[in-house]
Amino acid sequence: MSTAPLPPDDAAEQEAVPAEPPAADADHDSADRQAAVAGAAEGADAAGTTDTAEAAGTTDPPESTDATDEQPERSTLSEPAEPAEPAEPARGPRPSPAMMARPGPPRPGSPRPAARPRPEAAPGAAPAGPSVPVRPASDPTPFGRVAEDGSVFVVTADGERDVGSAAGAAPGEELAPFGRAFDDLVAQVDLVEARLDAGEGAPADAVGTLRALRGSLSGAPAVGDLEALAQRTRDLEVRAAAARAEADERRAAARAAALAAREEVVVAAEEIAATDPAKMQWRPAGERLKVLLEEWKTAQRTSGKLDKRTEDELWKRFSAARTSFDRARRAHFSALESSNAEAKATKTALVTEAESMTGSTDWGATASAYKRLMDRWRTAGHAGRRDDDALWARFRAAQDAFFSARHAAAEVEDAAFSENLVVKEALLVEAEALLPVRDHRAARRALRSIGERWEDAGKVPRADLARVEKRLRAVETAVADAERETWRRSDPEKSSRASGAVAQLEKAVADLTAQRDAARAGGDAKAAEAAQAALDARQMWLDAARATAQEFSG
């Protein structure tokens, strides 16, 4: 009789199972089927684990931190292709009863064969697979018959189909081997269903296994409800396809999240690289790029996988941003080093010049020279913190030495000028006695004498110089103001103008008086009133002009 092909995941395991010892009852058959199912699960799990590892791949992040040398490990997530519906296998030679049939119950008194022991799982070993319920042995009788020549037929929707020969089988046991073959097919479907329930394995693999099982039913040397089993594989295939669609959606969502995470890293790196070098904070920016690189590595290890083309493009952008930043940083610090060297040379020359003047006693000129050196120092630029600090310490020391010497000399001078201060303060008392100025000519003569004695008295201490000079200037200003006021009042031109104005106003007053008197005599009250108003105004102007003329006349 022909032998049905086994699914790819279970074929190797089935071939590795040794010949079974005779079984005496249905319980023993159930134990054998459970062992076969467990073995098939182990083989399928092993094959599934290998397939998953090969399909998922590993993508290690780049280990080098040099932007020009790093290249990410490439990885793609290959999806298992959906297997095609297998063709009906060719029927082979029928197995002999010695190969398929099991002997009947043992004779009384004969030893009962023990059940084949199940191997114990090693401590700490991973479970072989999902738990598969053990079904009792099925009854093949309603689904098959044995012909007179020993041929076995299975009843299907399309009619009867010859599945093998039961020649040589014990009476009543002709269909048993074919029922066990059917139960083995059921156990394989149970395993697929258990995997789907447990969420184990790839749904695409389950679809392929179910299609292979359903395709093998048309030529399987088994007797049982093949139509129901085929329908069950169809139902499970619908579940597996739905699970596959969900898995595809999850993978798509994971890819989208991974793409967004990588894109965020790349955009952040490109923003740093695009920053104006004049505004770049190089140390924080470099540290940020290191963090972004670690985020890239973490995303490679933990997030969804991207296709090779997308990951290559993103990595090229990320690597280009880091390379651009590194080049800009090298150019910046190269220019900074050149600028620092130039500033160092300039400041060294300034320090040398400052140190050469520390012994000068030309206090005023040297102090001005130090001020000019300080202005040049401020525009010399930066020479680097260490060099700047060292050069500034020397420059400041030279300044301090000169100004300390000047301060000591000033203290000596101030002690010698204390007596001069007493003389000048006495002269100030004499000068301030001239105020207020009544006779500017006498005040000017007295002030001239005070000035001569002021110069003869000599210098005063620096702390008192501004104070005494201010008091003397105040007296000089008051005398000068008195002189100007006297000149203003005695100006001949102004006196002449004032006298002329008085004469004109006197004539106008006389004329208006005559007009008023004439109007009154003629009885013209209105004309007399107008003449009186004009007369009052001219009289007021005349009084003011006479006062001014009196002032100019002394």
Side-chain angles (χ1 to χ4, degrees):
M1 68 180 170
S2 62
T3 303
L6 295 174
D9 288 346
D10 300 333
E13 186 67 24
Q14 292 289 346
E15 292 175 358
V17 176
E20 299 178 355
D25 50 24
D27 293 339
H28 191 66
D29 290 342
S30 298
D32 289 342
R33 280 195 303 275
Q34 185 174 9
V37 169
E42 293 174 0
D45 285 342
T49 302
T50 303
D51 293 342
T52 302
E54 293 174 354
T58 57
T59 305
D60 295 330
E63 296 297 331
S64 172
T65 57
D66 187 348
T68 59
D69 296 335
E70 292 173 3
Q71 292 294 335
E73 296 290 339
R74 314 299 184 195
S75 68
T76 56
L77 182 61
S78 59
E79 298 182 5
E82 184 173 326
E85 191 82 18
E88 181 178 0
R91 298 185 60 180
R94 299 178 177 179
S96 64
M99 296 171 61
M100 295 188 59
R102 294 182 181 179
R107 295 176 182 156
S110 62
R112 185 181 183 89
R116 182 172 57 187
R118 297 288 304 277
E120 296 294 333
S131 175
V132 182
V134 178
R135 297 177 181 268
S138 64
D139 181 10
T141 304
F143 306 99
R145 69 179 181 85
V146 181
E148 294 181 357
D149 61 354
S151 297
V152 177
F153 293 88
V154 62
V155 179
T156 67
D158 298 330
E160 292 185 341
R161 176 170 60 83
D162 186 0
V163 294
S165 174
E173 294 292 328
E174 294 88 349
L175 296 179
F178 300 93
R180 287 193 293 272
F182 176 78
D183 291 342
D184 289 342
L185 294 173
V186 172
Q188 295 181 45
V189 176
D190 287 344
L191 176 60
V192 174
E193 184 176 17
R195 285 181 173 176
L196 288 176
D197 292 340
E200 298 181 359
D205 294 342
V207 171
T209 301
L210 291 169
R211 289 183 179 179
L213 282 170
R214 189 166 62 250
S216 68
L217 295 181
S218 61
V223 176
D225 193 353
L226 295 177
E227 294 299 328
L229 186 59
Q231 184 59 43
R232 187 179 170 202
T233 62
R234 295 186 188 95
D235 296 339
L236 290 176
E237 184 177 341
V238 172
R239 282 185 56 192
R244 179 181 180 180
E246 292 179 0
D248 290 343
E249 291 179 359
R250 289 193 298 271
R251 283 195 296 271
R255 289 192 187 99
L259 179 60
R262 305 282 182 86
E263 183 73 23
E264 183 177 355
V265 169
V266 171
V267 170
E270 289 175 338
E271 289 178 353
I272 293 174
T275 302
D276 184 356
K279 301 179 181 178
M280 181 79 76
Q281 295 182 353
W282 296 102
R283 185 182 298 275
E287 294 298 328
R288 176 59 179 155
L289 281 177
K290 289 181 181 179
V291 171
L292 290 176
L293 178 61
E294 293 303 320
E295 291 179 3
W296 177 281
K297 294 178 181 179
T298 302
Q300 272 192 323
R301 292 192 299 267
T302 60
S303 64
K305 305 300 179 182
L306 302 178
D307 60 274
K308 183 178 183 296
R309 178 179 178 182
T310 301
E311 182 153 344
D312 285 349
E313 291 176 353
L314 288 173
W315 173 252
K316 287 178 181 178
R317 288 173 56 191
F318 183 59
S319 180
R322 297 178 65 232
T323 301
S324 176
F325 173 81
D326 288 340
R327 289 174 179 170
R329 179 172 57 182
R330 286 194 293 269
H332 169 77
F333 284 103
S334 176
L336 182 62
E337 183 177 357
S338 176
S339 174
N340 288 350
E342 183 178 351
K344 180 180 179 181
T346 301
K347 288 186 174 181
T348 301
L350 293 175
V351 169
T352 302
E353 188 174 350
E355 290 174 340
S356 68
M357 296 189 298
T358 55
S360 174
T361 56
D362 188 358
W363 309 117
T366 306
S368 299
Y370 271 115
K371 184 178 182 302
R372 290 191 296 271
L373 287 179
M374 190 66 199
D375 293 338
R376 291 164 58 191
W377 180 279
R378 292 191 182 98
T379 60
H382 295 285
R385 177 171 297 181
R386 180 178 300 176
D387 291 330
D388 268 341
D389 290 346
L391 290 171
W392 173 251
R394 291 175 56 190
F395 186 81
R396 186 62 181 270
Q399 280 187 320
D400 290 345
F402 168 77
F403 286 105
S404 295
R406 188 181 72 163
H407 181 69
E411 289 182 346
V412 173
E413 287 182 352
D414 289 345
F417 296 157
S418 297
E419 295 180 1
N420 299 342
L421 177 61
V422 175
V423 174
K424 287 193 174 183
E425 285 182 339
L427 292 173
L428 285 173
V429 173
E430 183 180 346
E432 290 169 347
L434 300 174
L435 303 177
V437 179
R438 294 178 177 85
D439 183 353
H440 67 87
R441 293 182 179 87
R444 173 58 65 187
R445 287 192 297 270
L447 188 59
R448 187 178 297 113
S449 174
I450 292 172
E452 292 173 354
R453 285 177 287 162
W454 182 279
E455 294 297 330
D456 292 339
K459 295 181 179 180
V460 298
R462 290 176 177 272
D464 300 298
L465 178 61
R467 177 177 60 84
V468 297
E469 291 287 345
K470 182 178 180 182
R471 290 174 61 185
L472 183 61
R473 297 289 85 78
V475 175
E476 291 176 343
T477 300
V479 173
D481 290 343
E483 290 175 338
R484 282 193 297 271
E485 180 63 19
T486 301
W487 170 253
R488 185 184 68 79
R489 289 184 300 176
S490 62
D491 187 352
E493 183 179 354
K494 291 182 179 179
S495 179
S496 177
R497 286 199 300 268
S499 299
V502 169
Q504 291 177 359
L505 289 172
E506 286 177 347
K507 183 178 183 303
V509 167
D511 293 341
L512 289 172
T513 301
Q515 292 177 10
R516 180 197 63 184
D517 293 342
R520 286 178 180 177
D524 189 352
K526 185 176 182 180
E529 184 180 354
Q532 182 63 46
L535 178 60
D536 293 340
R538 296 302 186 279
Q539 186 62 52
M540 184 174 57
W541 294 349
L542 177 57
D543 294 340
R546 285 173 177 170
T548 302
Q550 182 66 28
E551 182 180 344
F552 282 122
S553 64

